[in-house]
PDB file of all heavy atoms in Angstrom:
ATOM      1  N   PRO A 245      13.997   3.243  86.476  1.00  0.00           N
ATOM      2  CA  PRO A 245      15.189   4.078  86.688  1.00  0.00           C
ATOM      3  C   PRO A 245      16.188   3.511  87.507  1.00  0.00           C
ATOM      4  O   PRO A 245      17.407   3.916  87.575  1.00  0.00           O
ATOM      5  CB  PRO A 245      14.485   5.283  87.393  1.00  0.00           C
ATOM      6  CG  PRO A 245      13.379   4.694  88.064  1.00  0.00           C
ATOM      7  CD  PRO A 245      12.843   3.767  87.261  1.00  0.00           C
ATOM      8  N   ASP A 246      15.943   2.305  88.174  1.00  0.00           N
ATOM      9  CA  ASP A 246      16.959   1.552  89.017  1.00  0.00           C
ATOM     10  C   ASP A 246      17.769   0.673  88.099  1.00  0.00           C
ATOM     11  O   ASP A 246      18.706   0.065  88.642  1.00  0.00           O
ATOM     12  CB  ASP A 246      16.147   0.795  90.133  1.00  0.00           C
ATOM     13  CG  ASP A 246      15.160  -0.185  89.505  1.00  0.00           C
ATOM     14  OD1 ASP A 246      14.516   0.145  88.541  1.00  0.00           O
ATOM     15  OD2 ASP A 246      14.864  -1.219  90.176  1.00  0.00           O
ATOM     16  N   ARG A 247      17.430   0.586  86.806  1.00  0.00           N
ATOM     17  CA  ARG A 247      18.186  -0.352  85.879  1.00  0.00           C
ATOM     18  C   ARG A 247      18.739   0.311  84.804  1.00  0.00           C
ATOM     19  O   ARG A 247      19.806  -0.040  84.158  1.00  0.00           O
ATOM     20  CB  ARG A 247      17.274  -1.534  85.441  1.00  0.00           C
ATOM     21  CG  ARG A 247      16.757  -2.362  86.662  1.00  0.00           C
ATOM     22  CD  ARG A 247      16.070  -3.621  86.139  1.00  0.00           C
ATOM     23  NE  ARG A 247      16.984  -4.584  85.804  1.00  0.00           N
ATOM     24  CZ  ARG A 247      16.803  -5.864  85.371  1.00  0.00           C
ATOM     25  NH1 ARG A 247      15.557  -6.197  85.186  1.00  0.00           N
ATOM     26  NH2 ARG A 247      17.761  -6.810  85.200  1.00  0.00           N
ATOM     27  N   ILE A 248      17.952   1.388  84.318  1.00  0.00           N
ATOM     28  CA  ILE A 248      18.419   2.133  83.074  1.00  0.00           C
ATOM     29  C   ILE A 248      19.273   3.236  83.476  1.00  0.00           C
ATOM     30  O   ILE A 248      18.865   4.179  84.141  1.00  0.00           O
ATOM     31  CB  ILE A 248      17.257   2.689  82.232  1.00  0.00           C
ATOM     32  CG1 ILE A 248      16.339   1.424  81.819  1.00  0.00           C
ATOM     33  CG2 ILE A 248      17.753   3.395  81.021  1.00  0.00           C
ATOM     34  CD1 ILE A 248      17.023   0.364  80.990  1.00  0.00           C
ATOM     35  N   ALA A 249      20.617   3.265  83.121  1.00  0.00           N
ATOM     36  CA  ALA A 249      21.546   4.331  83.562  1.00  0.00           C
ATOM     37  C   ALA A 249      21.259   5.645  82.804  1.00  0.00           C
ATOM     38  O   ALA A 249      21.413   6.705  83.498  1.00  0.00           O
ATOM     39  CB  ALA A 249      22.929   3.897  83.335  1.00  0.00           C
ATOM     40  N   ALA A 250      20.943   5.686  81.620  1.00  0.00           N
ATOM     41  CA  ALA A 250      20.599   6.915  80.820  1.00  0.00           C
ATOM     42  C   ALA A 250      19.984   6.496  79.555  1.00  0.00           C
ATOM     43  O   ALA A 250      19.884   5.350  79.215  1.00  0.00           O
ATOM     44  CB  ALA A 250      22.044   7.468  80.378  1.00  0.00           C
ATOM     45  N   VAL A 251      19.275   7.523  78.945  1.00  0.00           N
ATOM     46  CA  VAL A 251      18.507   7.160  77.820  1.00  0.00           C
ATOM     47  C   VAL A 251      18.813   8.190  76.633  1.00  0.00           C
ATOM     48  O   VAL A 251      19.280   9.287  76.898  1.00  0.00           O
ATOM     49  CB  VAL A 251      16.915   7.243  78.133  1.00  0.00           C
ATOM     50  CG1 VAL A 251      16.501   6.174  78.996  1.00  0.00           C
ATOM     51  CG2 VAL A 251      16.529   8.663  78.554  1.00  0.00           C
ATOM     52  N   GLY A 252      18.497   7.724  75.455  1.00  0.00           N
ATOM     53  CA  GLY A 252      18.784   8.612  74.162  1.00  0.00           C
ATOM     54  C   GLY A 252      17.543   8.458  73.301  1.00  0.00           C
ATOM     55  O   GLY A 252      16.836   7.426  73.277  1.00  0.00           O
ATOM     56  N   MET A 253      17.137   9.544  72.617  1.00  0.00           N
ATOM     57  CA  MET A 253      16.034   9.594  71.809  1.00  0.00           C
ATOM     58  C   MET A 253      16.404  10.353  70.482  1.00  0.00           C
ATOM     59  O   MET A 253      17.048  11.366  70.456  1.00  0.00           O
ATOM     60  CB  MET A 253      14.969  10.473  72.478  1.00  0.00           C
ATOM     61  CG  MET A 253      14.574   9.783  73.816  1.00  0.00           C
ATOM     62  SD  MET A 253      13.417  10.959  74.733  1.00  0.00           S
ATOM     63  CE  MET A 253      13.210  10.115  76.263  1.00  0.00           C
ATOM     64  N   VAL A 254      15.835   9.811  69.396  1.00  0.00           N
ATOM     65  CA  VAL A 254      15.965  10.419  68.064  1.00  0.00           C
ATOM     66  C   VAL A 254      14.633  10.620  67.450  1.00  0.00           C
ATOM     67  O   VAL A 254      13.919   9.624  67.312  1.00  0.00           O
ATOM     68  CB  VAL A 254      16.916   9.719  67.140  1.00  0.00           C
ATOM     69  CG1 VAL A 254      16.991  10.370  65.774  1.00  0.00           C
ATOM     70  CG2 VAL A 254      18.258   9.585  67.743  1.00  0.00           C
ATOM     71  N   GLY A 255      14.216  11.838  67.204  1.00  0.00           N
ATOM     72  CA  GLY A 255      12.878  12.036  66.604  1.00  0.00           C
ATOM     73  C   GLY A 255      11.756  11.458  67.438  1.00  0.00           C
ATOM     74  O   GLY A 255      10.844  10.896  66.929  1.00  0.00           O
ATOM     75  N   ALA A 256      11.922  11.587  68.694  1.00  0.00           N
ATOM     76  CA  ALA A 256      10.996  10.823  69.663  1.00  0.00           C
ATOM     77  C   ALA A 256       9.515  11.339  69.549  1.00  0.00           C
ATOM     78  O   ALA A 256       9.301  12.606  69.616  1.00  0.00           O
ATOM     79  CB  ALA A 256      11.393  10.970  71.103  1.00  0.00           C
ATOM     80  N   ALA A 257       8.644  10.390  69.439  1.00  0.00           N
ATOM     81  CA  ALA A 257       7.233  10.783  69.513  1.00  0.00           C
ATOM     82  C   ALA A 257       6.667  10.417  70.892  1.00  0.00           C
ATOM     83  O   ALA A 257       6.517   9.356  71.328  1.00  0.00           O
ATOM     84  CB  ALA A 257       6.523   9.807  68.443  1.00  0.00           C
ATOM     85  N   GLN A 258       6.488  11.569  71.596  1.00  0.00           N
ATOM     86  CA  GLN A 258       6.103  11.429  73.037  1.00  0.00           C
ATOM     87  C   GLN A 258       4.524  11.487  73.076  1.00  0.00           C
ATOM     88  O   GLN A 258       3.831  12.528  73.068  1.00  0.00           O
ATOM     89  CB  GLN A 258       6.728  12.523  73.866  1.00  0.00           C
ATOM     90  CG  GLN A 258       8.222  12.556  73.809  1.00  0.00           C
ATOM     91  CD  GLN A 258       8.919  11.231  74.538  1.00  0.00           C
ATOM     92  OE1 GLN A 258       8.156  10.489  75.044  1.00  0.00           O
ATOM     93  NE2 GLN A 258      10.082  11.128  74.417  1.00  0.00           N
ATOM     94  N   THR A 259       3.955  10.295  73.206  1.00  0.00           N
ATOM     95  CA  THR A 259       2.429  10.348  73.277  1.00  0.00           C
ATOM     96  C   THR A 259       1.944  10.167  74.714  1.00  0.00           C
ATOM     97  O   THR A 259       0.691  10.194  74.790  1.00  0.00           O
ATOM     98  CB  THR A 259       1.981   9.092  72.427  1.00  0.00           C
ATOM     99  OG1 THR A 259       2.557   7.813  72.903  1.00  0.00           O
ATOM    100  CG2 THR A 259       2.300   9.192  70.892  1.00  0.00           C
ATOM    101  N   GLN A 260       2.779  10.111  75.621  1.00  0.00           N
ATOM    102  CA  GLN A 260       2.444  10.181  77.031  1.00  0.00           C
ATOM    103  C   GLN A 260       2.579  11.636  77.527  1.00  0.00           C
ATOM    104  O   GLN A 260       3.608  12.122  77.216  1.00  0.00           O
ATOM    105  CB  GLN A 260       3.134   9.239  77.893  1.00  0.00           C
ATOM    106  CG  GLN A 260       2.752   7.737  77.784  1.00  0.00           C
ATOM    107  CD  GLN A 260       1.484   7.417  78.570  1.00  0.00           C
ATOM    108  OE1 GLN A 260       0.711   8.309  79.056  1.00  0.00           O
ATOM    109  NE2 GLN A 260       1.242   6.146  78.753  1.00  0.00           N
ATOM    110  N   PRO A 261       1.678  12.190  78.212  1.00  0.00           N
ATOM    111  CA  PRO A 261       1.752  13.556  78.736  1.00  0.00           C
ATOM    112  C   PRO A 261       2.908  13.581  79.795  1.00  0.00           C
ATOM    113  O   PRO A 261       3.204  12.501  80.482  1.00  0.00           O
ATOM    114  CB  PRO A 261       0.532  13.909  79.357  1.00  0.00           C
ATOM    115  CG  PRO A 261      -0.104  12.588  79.651  1.00  0.00           C
ATOM    116  CD  PRO A 261       0.334  11.682  78.563  1.00  0.00           C
ATOM    117  N   TRP A 262       3.594  14.671  79.926  1.00  0.00           N
ATOM    118  CA  TRP A 262       4.719  14.665  80.874  1.00  0.00           C
ATOM    119  C   TRP A 262       4.218  14.391  82.318  1.00  0.00           C
ATOM    120  O   TRP A 262       5.015  13.646  83.062  1.00  0.00           O
ATOM    121  CB  TRP A 262       5.476  16.058  80.907  1.00  0.00           C
ATOM    122  CG  TRP A 262       6.555  16.019  81.828  1.00  0.00           C
ATOM    123  CD1 TRP A 262       6.540  16.563  83.178  1.00  0.00           C
ATOM    124  CD2 TRP A 262       7.774  15.443  81.590  1.00  0.00           C
ATOM    125  NE1 TRP A 262       7.847  16.304  83.776  1.00  0.00           N
ATOM    126  CE2 TRP A 262       8.657  15.663  82.839  1.00  0.00           C
ATOM    127  CE3 TRP A 262       8.540  14.879  80.560  1.00  0.00           C
ATOM    128  CZ2 TRP A 262       9.896  15.176  82.786  1.00  0.00           C
ATOM    129  CZ3 TRP A 262       9.753  14.382  80.669  1.00  0.00           C
ATOM    130  CH2 TRP A 262      10.518  14.536  81.731  1.00  0.00           C
ATOM    131  N   SER A 263       3.023  14.781  82.607  1.00  0.00           N
ATOM    132  CA  SER A 263       2.521  14.516  83.991  1.00  0.00           C
ATOM    133  C   SER A 263       2.348  13.042  84.242  1.00  0.00           C
ATOM    134  O   SER A 263       2.193  12.688  85.471  1.00  0.00           O
ATOM    135  CB  SER A 263       1.064  15.178  84.122  1.00  0.00           C
ATOM    136  OG  SER A 263       0.164  14.826  83.139  1.00  0.00           O
ATOM    137  N   TRP A 264       2.276  12.192  83.228  1.00  0.00           N
ATOM    138  CA  TRP A 264       2.149  10.836  83.464  1.00  0.00           C
ATOM    139  C   TRP A 264       3.329  10.205  84.292  1.00  0.00           C
ATOM    140  O   TRP A 264       3.164   9.246  85.134  1.00  0.00           O
ATOM    141  CB  TRP A 264       2.055  10.015  82.106  1.00  0.00           C
ATOM    142  CG  TRP A 264       2.190   8.461  82.289  1.00  0.00           C
ATOM    143  CD1 TRP A 264       1.255   7.674  82.500  1.00  0.00           C
ATOM    144  CD2 TRP A 264       3.429   7.817  82.095  1.00  0.00           C
ATOM    145  NE1 TRP A 264       1.731   6.428  82.540  1.00  0.00           N
ATOM    146  CE2 TRP A 264       3.123   6.376  82.252  1.00  0.00           C
ATOM    147  CE3 TRP A 264       4.726   8.091  81.785  1.00  0.00           C
ATOM    148  CZ2 TRP A 264       3.964   5.399  82.273  1.00  0.00           C
ATOM    149  CZ3 TRP A 264       5.604   7.053  81.773  1.00  0.00           C
ATOM    150  CH2 TRP A 264       5.354   5.701  81.952  1.00  0.00           C
ATOM    151  N   CYS A 265       4.478  10.772  84.097  1.00  0.00           N
ATOM    152  CA  CYS A 265       5.800  10.298  84.803  1.00  0.00           C
ATOM    153  C   CYS A 265       5.862  10.851  86.177  1.00  0.00           C
ATOM    154  O   CYS A 265       6.142  12.087  86.327  1.00  0.00           O
ATOM    155  CB  CYS A 265       7.006  10.555  83.885  1.00  0.00           C
ATOM    156  SG  CYS A 265       8.495   9.991  84.632  1.00  0.00           S
ATOM    157  N   THR A 266       5.600  10.077  87.120  1.00  0.00           N
ATOM    158  CA  THR A 266       5.675  10.566  88.546  1.00  0.00           C
ATOM    159  C   THR A 266       7.101  10.354  89.174  1.00  0.00           C
ATOM    160  O   THR A 266       7.326  10.716  90.394  1.00  0.00           O
ATOM    161  CB  THR A 266       4.607   9.963  89.384  1.00  0.00           C
ATOM    162  OG1 THR A 266       4.654   8.532  89.375  1.00  0.00           O
ATOM    163  CG2 THR A 266       3.269  10.357  88.822  1.00  0.00           C
ATOM    164  N   GLU A 267       7.933   9.534  88.483  1.00  0.00           N
ATOM    165  CA  GLU A 267       9.159   9.163  88.993  1.00  0.00           C
ATOM    166  C   GLU A 267      10.130  10.492  88.993  1.00  0.00           C
ATOM    167  O   GLU A 267      10.176  11.182  88.112  1.00  0.00           O
ATOM    168  CB  GLU A 267       9.857   8.188  88.140  1.00  0.00           C
ATOM    169  CG  GLU A 267      11.328   7.763  88.449  1.00  0.00           C
ATOM    170  CD  GLU A 267      11.453   7.230  89.860  1.00  0.00           C
ATOM    171  OE1 GLU A 267      10.697   6.322  90.133  1.00  0.00           O
ATOM    172  OE2 GLU A 267      12.341   7.722  90.522  1.00  0.00           O
ATOM    173  N   ARG A 268      10.767  10.696  90.112  1.00  0.00           N
ATOM    174  CA  ARG A 268      11.644  11.859  90.283  1.00  0.00           C
ATOM    175  C   ARG A 268      13.036  11.453  90.451  1.00  0.00           C
ATOM    176  O   ARG A 268      13.890  12.407  90.566  1.00  0.00           O
ATOM    177  CB  ARG A 268      11.135  12.731  91.459  1.00  0.00           C
ATOM    178  CG  ARG A 268       9.745  13.315  91.437  1.00  0.00           C
ATOM    179  CD  ARG A 268       9.875  14.308  90.176  1.00  0.00           C
ATOM    180  NE  ARG A 268       8.500  14.966  89.867  1.00  0.00           N
ATOM    181  CZ  ARG A 268       7.679  14.479  88.815  1.00  0.00           C
ATOM    182  NH1 ARG A 268       8.191  13.521  88.061  1.00  0.00           N
ATOM    183  NH2 ARG A 268       6.586  14.976  88.552  1.00  0.00           N
ATOM    184  N   ARG A 269      13.400  10.237  90.227  1.00  0.00           N
ATOM    185  CA  ARG A 269      14.827   9.910  90.291  1.00  0.00           C
ATOM    186  C   ARG A 269      15.462  10.424  88.999  1.00  0.00           C
ATOM    187  O   ARG A 269      14.941  10.255  87.820  1.00  0.00           O
ATOM    188  CB  ARG A 269      15.042   8.340  90.326  1.00  0.00           C
ATOM    189  CG  ARG A 269      16.398   8.017  90.301  1.00  0.00           C
ATOM    190  CD  ARG A 269      16.568   6.512  90.586  1.00  0.00           C
ATOM    191  NE  ARG A 269      17.888   5.976  90.453  1.00  0.00           N
ATOM    192  CZ  ARG A 269      18.268   4.828  90.962  1.00  0.00           C
ATOM    193  NH1 ARG A 269      17.370   4.031  91.594  1.00  0.00           N
ATOM    194  NH2 ARG A 269      19.549   4.454  90.888  1.00  0.00           N
ATOM    195  N   PRO A 270      16.510  11.164  89.132  1.00  0.00           N
ATOM    196  CA  PRO A 270      17.057  11.677  87.890  1.00  0.00           C
ATOM    197  C   PRO A 270      17.716  10.678  86.905  1.00  0.00           C
ATOM    198  O   PRO A 270      18.381   9.716  87.391  1.00  0.00           O
ATOM    199  CB  PRO A 270      18.355  12.678  88.459  1.00  0.00           C
ATOM    200  CG  PRO A 270      17.934  12.853  89.920  1.00  0.00           C
ATOM    201  CD  PRO A 270      17.209  11.627  90.284  1.00  0.00           C
ATOM    202  N   VAL A 271      17.507  10.826  85.680  1.00  0.00           N
ATOM    203  CA  VAL A 271      17.959   9.939  84.666  1.00  0.00           C
ATOM    204  C   VAL A 271      18.558  10.740  83.501  1.00  0.00           C
ATOM    205  O   VAL A 271      17.897  11.522  82.921  1.00  0.00           O
ATOM    206  CB  VAL A 271      16.899   9.030  84.109  1.00  0.00           C
ATOM    207  CG1 VAL A 271      17.393   8.175  82.927  1.00  0.00           C
ATOM    208  CG2 VAL A 271      16.201   8.174  85.161  1.00  0.00           C
ATOM    209  N   PRO A 272      19.881  10.683  83.296  1.00  0.00           N
ATOM    210  CA  PRO A 272      20.519  11.503  82.216  1.00  0.00           C
ATOM    211  C   PRO A 272      19.771  11.177  80.746  1.00  0.00           C
ATOM    212  O   PRO A 272      19.381  10.066  80.518  1.00  0.00           O
ATOM    213  CB  PRO A 272      21.921  10.955  82.166  1.00  0.00           C
ATOM    214  CG  PRO A 272      22.119  10.386  83.563  1.00  0.00           C
ATOM    215  CD  PRO A 272      20.818   9.862  83.977  1.00  0.00           C
ATOM    216  N   MET A 273      19.619  12.131  80.014  1.00  0.00           N
ATOM    217  CA  MET A 273      19.001  12.149  78.754  1.00  0.00           C
ATOM    218  C   MET A 273      19.637  12.890  77.675  1.00  0.00           C
ATOM    219  O   MET A 273      20.048  14.037  77.819  1.00  0.00           O
ATOM    220  CB  MET A 273      17.487  12.452  78.934  1.00  0.00           C
ATOM    221  CG  MET A 273      16.601  12.281  77.753  1.00  0.00           C
ATOM    222  SD  MET A 273      16.707  13.528  76.461  1.00  0.00           S
ATOM    223  CE  MET A 273      15.737  14.850  77.147  1.00  0.00           C
ATOM    224  N   ILE A 274      19.813  12.338  76.420  1.00  0.00           N
ATOM    225  CA  ILE A 274      20.212  12.982  75.335  1.00  0.00           C
ATOM    226  C   ILE A 274      19.315  12.739  74.183  1.00  0.00           C
ATOM    227  O   ILE A 274      18.810  11.653  73.918  1.00  0.00           O
ATOM    228  CB  ILE A 274      21.718  12.567  74.895  1.00  0.00           C
ATOM    229  CG1 ILE A 274      22.208  13.273  73.715  1.00  0.00           C
ATOM    230  CG2 ILE A 274      21.725  11.065  74.684  1.00  0.00           C
ATOM    231  CD1 ILE A 274      23.600  13.118  73.405  1.00  0.00           C
ATOM    232  N   ALA A 275      18.985  13.933  73.499  1.00  0.00           N
ATOM    233  CA  ALA A 275      17.969  13.777  72.431  1.00  0.00           C
ATOM    234  C   ALA A 275      18.428  14.496  71.186  1.00  0.00           C
ATOM    235  O   ALA A 275      19.236  15.538  71.244  1.00  0.00           O
ATOM    236  CB  ALA A 275      16.652  14.426  72.872  1.00  0.00           C
ATOM    237  N   PHE A 276      17.894  14.121  70.009  1.00  0.00           N
ATOM    238  CA  PHE A 276      18.280  14.604  68.787  1.00  0.00           C
ATOM    239  C   PHE A 276      16.858  14.832  67.949  1.00  0.00           C
ATOM    240  O   PHE A 276      16.118  13.964  67.887  1.00  0.00           O
ATOM    241  CB  PHE A 276      19.095  13.724  67.891  1.00  0.00           C
ATOM    242  CG  PHE A 276      20.431  13.450  68.531  1.00  0.00           C
ATOM    243  CD1 PHE A 276      20.471  12.413  69.517  1.00  0.00           C
ATOM    244  CD2 PHE A 276      21.517  14.130  68.202  1.00  0.00           C
ATOM    245  CE1 PHE A 276      21.627  12.138  70.118  1.00  0.00           C
ATOM    246  CE2 PHE A 276      22.881  13.861  68.872  1.00  0.00           C
ATOM    247  CZ  PHE A 276      22.881  12.840  69.793  1.00  0.00           C
ATOM    248  N   HIS A 277      16.722  16.023  67.437  1.00  0.00           N
ATOM    249  CA  HIS A 277      15.350  16.317  66.778  1.00  0.00           C
ATOM    250  C   HIS A 277      15.504  17.294  65.696  1.00  0.00           C
ATOM    251  O   HIS A 277      16.104  18.450  65.969  1.00  0.00           O
ATOM    252  CB  HIS A 277      14.306  16.753  67.857  1.00  0.00           C
ATOM    253  CG  HIS A 277      12.989  16.195  67.655  1.00  0.00           C
ATOM    254  ND1 HIS A 277      12.452  15.320  68.400  1.00  0.00           N
ATOM    255  CD2 HIS A 277      12.066  16.653  66.687  1.00  0.00           C
ATOM    256  CE1 HIS A 277      11.185  14.995  67.917  1.00  0.00           C
ATOM    257  NE2 HIS A 277      10.877  15.712  66.878  1.00  0.00           N
ATOM    258  N   GLY A 278      14.881  17.014  64.552  1.00  0.00           N
ATOM    259  CA  GLY A 278      14.953  18.013  63.546  1.00  0.00           C
ATOM    260  C   GLY A 278      13.717  18.916  63.510  1.00  0.00           C
ATOM    261  O   GLY A 278      12.690  18.607  63.841  1.00  0.00           O
TER     262      GLY A 278
END
């Protein structure tokens, strides 16, 4: 999160559980999903 300013996702396959991410630094996110 110290290098990536923002992320984007299209049809993202999230195979890691949300609890895996312990980072709390805010990162802007935009997603598109059908």
